[in-house]
């Protein structure tokens, strides 16, 4: 080797050695600076109140490879709480076998940052197998039957309510008929209709309407018999004598009693009806139907007796409800002149006709919803047979 080549070789080695020393010095300086800036090694900057205490991170082996496979974890709402831990353990074992690392905590720590992969058989609901089967069956069902109607059951109150409504119906209808007859409209119709007998003692149609209206008002107000006693004719004579006033007081008491019984019956019917019309109750149709039928039969019997002998019927009625000697008057007494026998015949026809008409309406009303109830009974019978 020549001298020049030897010198070039020595220069090249010298430069390489100086370059390696400088690189080592830079690395040592950089490591010192990083250690100085590391907060974990700065004991003066650590605040135990505000800074959380970090757990010691597991040390990784120098030869360990980062985990690249997906980590299988169960969803948060999964019904199997052990799915996540078992999947994580399986991933750790797989990662450890590939990397050759025996520390299991290192794999678990590495897997926390991996991408979650939801298993294909993971259920996204908390419903059991039975619930899923029921929902699937309901969704795919083709059954078009109507929902089952609860069976109507009769209780003791249902039976009492039916009997109450049946007995109260005739009294309510009778009170309506009496109120219609004892009204100014019917009174005016009677006095001015053709064929009504005239008064033989001087009362004209206007006089009858004027004095008769006082009688109708007295039957429905709360005044005493003096209300009629103060009524006088133009010459100053009183219209009604003492016996007539006593009889009208008896009539007022009887009509008031009828109104009271009808009112109690109506209120009781409404209360029982609200109870009986509850869900699963028997309803009021049976009571209304029986009451209307009973009313028609009752009025038919009264009509037969009245037609066979009106005079006997009229006297028998007064003997039942009034004392003897208090309801018979002369033809020139004011009550007979205002309300002759023809008036009571017409009143009986009008009142009885209204009574029967309303009873028929109630009878028809009792069949409201009959088809629906029959279909419900048929459905219950079919369900019981099935």
């Amino acid at each position: 080797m020549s001298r020049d080549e030897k010198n070039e070789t020595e220069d090249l080695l010298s430069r390489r050695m100086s370059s390696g020393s400088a690189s080592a010095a830079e690395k040592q300086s950089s490591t010192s600076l990083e250690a100085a800036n590391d907060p974990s090694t700065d004991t003066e900057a650590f605040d135990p109140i505000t800074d959380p205490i970090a757990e010691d991170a597991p040390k990784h082996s120098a030869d360990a490879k980062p985990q690249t496979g997906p980590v299988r974890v169960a969803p948060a709402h999964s019904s199997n709480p052990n799915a996540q831990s078992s999947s994580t353990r399986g991933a750790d074992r797989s990662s450890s076998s590939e990397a050759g690392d025996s520390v299991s905590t290192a794999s678990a720590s590495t897997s926390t940052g991996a991408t979650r992969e939801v298993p294909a058989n993971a259920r996204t609901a908390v419903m059991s197998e039975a619930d899923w089967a029921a929902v699937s069956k309901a969704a795919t069902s083709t059954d078009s039957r109507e929902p089952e109607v609860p069976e109507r059951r009769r209780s003791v109150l249902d039976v009492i309510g039916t009997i109450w409504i049946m007995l109260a119906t005739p009294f309510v209808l009778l009170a309506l008929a009496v109120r219609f007859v004892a009204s100014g409209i019917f009174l005016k119709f009677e006095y001015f209709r053709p064929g009504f007998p005239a008064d033989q003692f001087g009362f004209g149609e206007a006089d009858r309407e004027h004095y008769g209206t006082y009688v109708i008002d007295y039957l429905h107000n709360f005044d005493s018999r003096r209300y009629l006693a103060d009524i006088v004719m133009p010459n100053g004579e009183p219209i009604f004598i003492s016996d007539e006033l006593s009889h009208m007081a008896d009539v007022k008491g009887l009509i008031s009693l009828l109104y009271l019984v009808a009112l109690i019956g109506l209120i009781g019917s409404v209360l029982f009806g609200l109870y009986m019309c509850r869900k699963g109750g028997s309803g009021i149709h049976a009571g209304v139907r029986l009451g209307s039928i009973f009313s028609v039969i009752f009025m038919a019997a009264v009509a037969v007796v009245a037609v066979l002998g009106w005079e006997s019927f009229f006297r028998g009625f007064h003997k039942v409800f009034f004392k003897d000697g208090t309801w018979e008057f002369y033809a020139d007494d004011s009550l007979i002149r205002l309300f002759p026998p023809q008036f009571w015949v017409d009143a009986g026809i009008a009142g009885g006709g209204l009574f029967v008409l309303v009873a028929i309406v109630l009878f028809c009303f009792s069949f409201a919803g009959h088809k629906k109830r029959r279909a419900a009974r048929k459905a219950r019978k079919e369900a019981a047979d099935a």
Side-chain angles (χ1 to χ4, degrees):
M1 178 182 296
S2 63
R3 188 178 183 86
D4 294 335
E5 292 177 353
K6 185 178 180 179
N7 292 334
E8 291 176 0
T9 302
E10 291 177 353
D11 292 339
L12 179 60
L13 292 173
S14 177
R15 286 195 299 269
R16 288 182 178 179
M17 291 178 62
S18 61
S19 176
S21 300
S23 176
E26 290 177 0
K27 289 182 178 180
Q28 183 177 2
S29 176
S30 175
T31 303
S32 301
L33 290 176
E34 291 176 358
N37 294 329
D38 188 0
S40 62
T41 61
D42 189 2
T43 57
E44 295 181 357
F46 176 73
D47 189 354
I49 303 301
T50 60
D51 298 338
I53 300 176
E55 297 181 358
D56 293 335
K59 297 181 180 180
H60 295 273
S61 176
D63 299 334
K65 295 181 181 180
Q67 181 179 355
T68 58
V71 179
R72 297 182 176 274
V73 295
H77 52 269
S78 174
S79 59
N80 186 4
N82 298 323
Q84 183 176 358
S85 59
S86 61
S87 301
T88 305
R89 287 195 298 268
D92 291 342
R93 287 195 297 268
S94 176
S95 176
S96 298
S97 62
E98 293 175 1
D101 191 357
S102 61
V103 182
S104 61
T105 57
S107 300
S109 176
T110 306
S111 64
T112 56
T115 303
R116 289 176 178 264
E117 180 179 335
V118 180
N121 60 349
R123 182 169 297 171
T124 59
V126 294
M127 299 179 65
S128 63
E129 294 292 342
D131 295 337
W132 278 104
V135 171
S136 301
K137 182 178 179 181
T140 59
S141 176
T142 58
D143 190 3
S144 60
R145 292 187 304 174
E146 296 183 356
E148 184 178 356
V149 181
E151 183 179 359
R152 294 180 180 267
R153 298 179 180 179
R154 287 183 178 272
S155 63
V156 177
L157 288 179
D158 289 328
V159 176
I160 296 176
T162 301
I163 298 175
W164 181 283
I165 295 174
M166 181 188 69
L167 297 178
T169 301
F171 289 98
V172 175
L173 297 182
L174 184 61
L176 292 175
V178 171
R179 187 62 184 91
F180 171 72
V181 171
S183 64
I185 297 176
F186 181 77
L187 196 67
K188 188 173 183 178
F189 170 78
E190 279 292 297
Y191 289 154
F192 292 93
R193 74 170 181 85
F196 190 78
D199 180 34
Q200 301 177 0
F201 301 96
F203 280 165
E205 290 82 0
D207 296 331
R208 279 179 165 178
E209 181 184 5
H210 176 73
Y211 297 125
T213 303
Y214 280 102
V215 177
I216 298 300
D217 294 341
Y218 169 73
L219 294 177
H220 300 99
N221 60 28
F222 297 97
D223 293 331
S224 63
R225 54 188 292 179
R226 189 172 181 82
Y227 180 83
L228 294 178
D230 293 338
I231 303 174
V232 296
M233 291 187 291
N235 58 5
E237 294 182 3
I239 294 292
F240 304 104
I241 60 177
S242 179
D243 292 341
E244 292 175 320
L245 296 176
S246 299
H247 179 64
M248 290 308 303
D250 295 339
V251 173
K252 182 175 183 177
L254 182 62
I255 292 179
S256 299
L257 179 62
L258 173 63
Y259 289 164
L260 179 61
V261 173
L263 181 61
I264 295 175
L266 181 62
I267 294 175
S269 300
V270 171
L271 295 179
F272 277 115
L274 292 176
Y275 171 77
M276 296 165 66
C277 290
R278 71 192 186 282
K279 185 177 181 180
S282 61
I284 63 173
H285 56 276
V288 173
R289 189 179 306 158
L290 293 175
S292 59
I293 294 174
F294 179 71
S295 299
V296 172
I297 294 175
F298 167 75
M299 185 55 62
V302 172
V304 169
V305 174
V307 170
L308 293 178
W310 171 256
E311 189 69 23
S312 300
F313 171 77
F314 189 80
R315 287 182 175 273
F317 173 83
H318 281 78
K319 287 181 179 180
V320 171
F321 294 102
F322 304 104
K323 295 180 180 180
D324 292 337
T326 61
W327 52 271
E328 294 180 323
F329 303 98
Y330 294 102
D332 58 346
D333 289 334
S334 298
L335 285 180
I336 302 300
R337 297 168 63 185
L338 294 174
F339 308 103
Q342 185 62 43
F343 177 87
W344 298 112
V345 173
D346 296 343
I349 296 174
L354 179 63
F355 185 98
V356 174
L357 178 62
V358 177
I360 294 175
V361 171
L362 291 178
F363 179 79
C364 297
F365 172 76
S366 66
F367 287 95
H370 177 70
K371 294 182 179 180
K372 184 177 180 181
R373 292 192 298 270
R374 184 173 59 184
R377 288 194 298 267
K378 184 178 179 181
R380 288 196 299 266
K381 184 178 180 181
E382 292 177 353
D385 295 341

